[in-house]
């Protein structure tokens, strides 16, 4: 009788939620036990309000919620498929819509243009462990922008960022005589003090045509110095922006 009562209690007791990311694994990493979201999965902001995104993309498991750095909440199905249950095929149009409007809610920030670019081969810090506080730190921002741009959403900046995030609030400091040492070090983007942004003329060969750019952000990257930034290898620049950078 006691054994039967124990079985009934076990059946009636609330069951713990078992999260598991499946179907769409972008912006995740395997931690030895399961796939979890990387910090860059939720590092961006939604294009529309968070509340609206949560209505459009309801959590698959209300007890766990939406994707967050380090958790393994199932991604809302509408973020990547038209199906209503897993396993489900990835539908590119659904992913595109999620990226455009609610990338953070869907845990897809790493696939947005600001976060989707190569890091240098030998960075001065571990790109995978960069925190949001480092992204905002005057001590780290310029290093991250050149070595690990995808970690902080610096992909469109071509390695040129302000060390201090508030520089753009008062552009008059760019012309202030007494502030030149400061702006040269901390406000390089706002005050246009970055190194030359003239695109490279090539690798020395004579090309009649170039490989098509593989990224749609090449024009912005070139403006901010990607084509001449030696922190990126020639192979990386050619792979992403051969036409824009005129690389044979």
């Amino acid at each position: 009788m006691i054994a039967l009562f124990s079985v009934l209690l076990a059946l009636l007791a609330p069951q713990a939620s078992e999260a598991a990311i499946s179907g769409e694994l972008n912006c995740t990493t395997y931690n030895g036990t399961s796939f979890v979201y990387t910090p860059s999965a939720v590092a961006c902001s939604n294009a529309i309000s968070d509340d609206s995104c949560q209505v459009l993309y309801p959590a698959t498991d209300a007890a766990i919620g939406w994707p967050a750095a380090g958790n393994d909440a199932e991604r809302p199905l509408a973020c990547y498929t038209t199906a209503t249950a897993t396993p489900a095929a990835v539908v590119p149009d659904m992913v595109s819509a999620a990226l455009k409007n609610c990338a953070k809610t869907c845990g897809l920030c790493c696939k947005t243009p600001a976060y989707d670019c190569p890091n240098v081969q030998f960075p001065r810090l571990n790109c995978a462990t960069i925190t949001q506080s480092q992204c905002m730190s005057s001590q780290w921002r310029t290093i991250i922008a050149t070595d690990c741009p995808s970690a902080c959403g610096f992909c469109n900046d071509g390695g040129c960022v302000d060390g201090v995030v508030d520089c753009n609030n008062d552009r008059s400091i760019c012309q202030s005589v007494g502030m030149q040492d400061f702006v040269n070090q901390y406000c390089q983007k706002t005050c246009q003090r970055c190194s030359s942004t003239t695109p490279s003329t090539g690798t020395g060969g004579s090309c009649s045509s170039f490989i098509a750019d593989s990224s749609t952000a090449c024009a912005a990257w070139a403006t901010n110095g990607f084509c001449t930034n030696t922190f990126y290898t020639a192979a990386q620049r050619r792979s992403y922006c051969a036409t824009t950078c005129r690389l044979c």
Side-chain angles (χ1 to χ4, degrees):
M1 183 66 179
I2 294 176
L4 178 60
F5 184 68
S6 298
V7 170
L8 289 173
L9 283 178
L11 291 174
L12 293 173
Q15 299 298 306
S17 297
E18 294 184 3
I21 304 172
S22 62
E24 168 61 81
L25 295 177
N26 276 314
C27 308
T28 68
T29 186
Y30 191 70
N31 66 3
T33 304
S34 63
F35 284 97
V36 297
Y37 294 100
T38 62
S40 62
V42 291
C44 62
S45 297
N46 291 318
I48 60 178
S49 72
D50 292 349
D51 288 343
S52 296
C53 285
Q54 290 181 3
V55 171
L56 291 171
Y57 300 98
T60 303
D61 187 331
I64 300 172
W66 288 266
N71 82 5
D72 61 352
E74 175 67 272
R75 201 187 305 272
L77 289 174
C79 293
Y80 68 93
T81 187
T82 54
T84 57
T86 57
V90 175
V91 179
D93 284 347
M94 298 298 285
V95 176
S96 295
L99 285 171
K100 181 179 180 180
N101 297 304
C102 300
K104 181 176 183 178
T105 295
C106 288
L108 289 171
C109 288
C110 80
K111 301 305 295 181
T112 59
Y115 290 85
D116 189 16
C117 65
N119 295 318
V120 298
Q121 187 173 5
F122 301 108
R124 286 167 283 181
L125 67 171
N126 186 342
C127 298
T129 61
I130 291 173
T131 64
Q132 187 59 30
S133 62
Q134 285 178 294
C135 292
M136 303 299 289
S137 168
S138 60
Q139 178 182 356
W140 291 107
R141 280 173 62 82
T142 54
I143 294 175
I144 294 171
T146 52
D147 287 22
C148 306
S150 68
C152 295
F154 294 150
C155 290
N156 294 331
D157 295 314
C160 177
V161 299
D162 291 331
V164 174
V165 296
D166 296 329
C167 289
N168 196 42
N169 290 346
D170 182 10
R171 288 177 172 268
S172 68
I173 63 173
C174 298
Q175 307 302 323
S176 175
V177 174
M179 296 292 291
Q180 292 310 295
D181 288 343
F182 177 85
V183 299
N184 286 339
Q185 181 174 357
Y186 294 111
C187 301
Q188 294 184 4
K189 181 177 182 179
T190 293
C191 297
Q192 299 182 338
R193 305 299 168 84
C194 296
S195 57
S196 173
T197 58
T198 303
S200 169
T201 58
T203 58
S206 57
C207 298
S208 58
S209 62
F210 301 91
I211 299 173
D213 292 340
S214 63
S215 172
T216 58
C218 287
W221 293 357
T223 299
N224 287 298
F226 176 79
C227 295
T228 56
N229 192 327
T230 56
F231 280 101
Y232 300 100
T233 66
Q236 286 176 320
R237 284 176 279 163
R238 184 173 183 273
S239 173
Y240 281 83
C241 303
T243 295
T244 296
C245 295
R246 312 291 288 176
L247 294 172
C248 297

